[in-house]
Amino acid sequence: MGGGGEEKPFNFLQVLCEGVIAGGTAGVVVETALYPIDTIKTRLQAARAGSQIQWKGLYSGLGGNLVGVLPASALFVGIYEPTKRKLLDVFPENLSAVAHLTAGAVGGFAASLIRVPTEVVKQRMQTGQFKSAPGAVRLIVGKEGFKGLYAGYGSFLLRDLPFDAIQFCIYEQLRIGYKLVAKRELNDPENALIGAFAGAITGAITTPLDVLKTRLMVQGQTKQYSGIVSCAKTILREEGPGAFLKGIEPRVLWIGIGGSIFFGVLEKTKAVLAERSSRKTLANKDE
């Protein structure tokens, strides 16, 4: 991964634990800071033609969402980091992008098991369907069954697996290139800037998939759409192709700023944990 110094032996458990802590920390910081922008984006995407957007309650559902975001972010990075390390050992250096893409998709799939129910509850609350997360879970399961918590799962994977793979690949590849040019490790502002760029580009590319996912998740029992294809056809027929870019401005803004904060906090936390681990190793050697 382009750092200087002595190569440390790969410790799966240590990398997993450090990834869990760093990912959980970064995820909670980002979600709390940018939740209002996400709420506006969701309401824009969920709104049918001619309907009004509500500007109240922009933090609606944050508490319940953090309960899901913390373990989901922790699980994602906890899986991504050791998978990336292993794949970088397998692939030649000129195919490092494939390792990053694959590790991002694997981490995203694992995290989706927590992310999807969290996202369903969050978006139903953001659109004013429920007042509290526990109440939302009870009513969704009661009316739609357990599968109601996984509404739009296919569209979520269709959006998030490419998103995770592309974002982390762009971020990692830019860091590698920057390190080669600068001939040093990146500082915190540089990590944040690269994270913002990777997030904004990926957010823009995946907006149509995000619109589909939002519509499927917030429809509830109305069952206006029977699936991804049905949803896409209905939107195209009733609202035109421009509807697939609904919410692109707040999405790009949210994910761009989010990428900056997430990767900045992630790299800083990883650096702090690595330094702490090194000090502990040196102390053990001195004993």
Side-chain angles (χ1 to χ4, degrees):
M1 278 298 299
E6 187 181 334
E7 190 70 27
K8 293 178 183 176
F10 178 68
N11 183 328
F12 176 84
L13 194 58
Q14 182 182 330
V15 173
L16 174 69
C17 291
E18 288 180 358
V20 164
I21 295 168
T25 303
V28 167
V29 171
V30 171
E31 195 68 19
T32 304
L34 302 179
Y35 197 79
I37 301 175
D38 181 39
T39 300
I40 294 167
K41 184 265 312 177
T42 297
R43 290 176 183 175
L44 283 169
Q45 290 180 342
R48 306 296 305 279
S51 54
Q52 294 291 312
I53 305 297
Q54 289 293 323
W55 295 96
K56 292 181 180 178
L58 295 182
Y59 271 99
S60 178
L62 175 62
N65 195 47
L66 289 181
V67 172
V69 165
L70 176 58
S73 298
L75 181 61
F76 176 87
V77 181
I79 297 292
Y80 172 79
E81 285 292 336
T83 303
K84 176 187 77 174
R85 297 275 192 96
K86 280 294 184 186
L87 290 174
L88 286 172
D89 288 340
V90 172
F91 287 106
E93 196 171 336
N94 63 338
L95 290 179
S96 64
V98 178
H100 295 136
L101 277 167
T102 307
V106 170
F109 181 75
S112 72
L113 299 174
I114 301 172
R115 277 179 179 170
V116 175
T118 302
E119 189 89 347
V120 169
V121 171
K122 177 189 79 173
Q123 293 197 327
R124 302 272 183 100
M125 290 185 69
Q126 286 175 332
T127 52
Q129 296 181 38
F130 303 106
K131 296 295 182 188
S132 72
V137 172
R138 273 196 310 273
L139 283 166
I140 290 170
V141 172
K143 290 181 178 179
E144 303 168 46
F146 187 73
K147 68 174 193 254
L149 292 173
Y150 283 88
Y153 187 65
S155 62
F156 185 92
L157 291 182
L158 184 67
R159 181 202 69 172
D160 269 44
L161 292 192
F163 179 90
D164 291 329
I166 294 167
Q167 184 184 29
F168 273 76
C169 181
I170 291 174
Y171 174 73
E172 298 278 16
Q173 292 299 305
L174 285 174
R175 287 187 81 238
I176 290 170
Y178 197 105
K179 281 182 183 181
L180 287 173
V181 172
K183 295 182 171 61
R184 60 173 173 78
E185 290 295 318
L186 277 65
N187 58 37
D188 294 338
E190 288 166 340
N191 283 323
L193 188 62
I194 291 171
F197 182 77
I201 294 295
T202 313
I205 292 169
T206 56
T207 295
L209 300 175
D210 190 47
V211 171
L212 292 173
K213 181 222 58 146
T214 298
R215 293 291 181 90
L216 287 164
M217 282 188 167
V218 302
Q219 68 178 333
Q221 286 184 295
T222 62
K223 294 298 176 212
Q224 183 185 359
Y225 315 110
S226 59
I228 297 168
V229 176
S230 159
C231 184
K233 284 180 177 177
T234 305
I235 292 171
L236 188 62
R237 184 179 65 252
E238 295 183 359
E239 301 171 59
F244 288 106
L245 295 179
K246 274 190 172 184
I248 189 170
E249 296 90 350
R251 178 171 167 78
V252 168
L253 176 66
W254 166 55
I255 296 178
I257 299 171
S260 170
I261 299 171
F262 182 87
F263 286 110
V265 173
L266 181 71
E267 295 299 341
K268 185 67 177 176
T269 309
K270 281 163 60 179
V272 168
L273 291 170
E275 188 180 336
R276 184 181 170 191
S277 174
S278 295
R279 282 204 303 266
K280 192 180 287 185
T281 302
L282 286 171
N284 289 339
K285 281 182 180 178
D286 290 342
E287 287 177 2

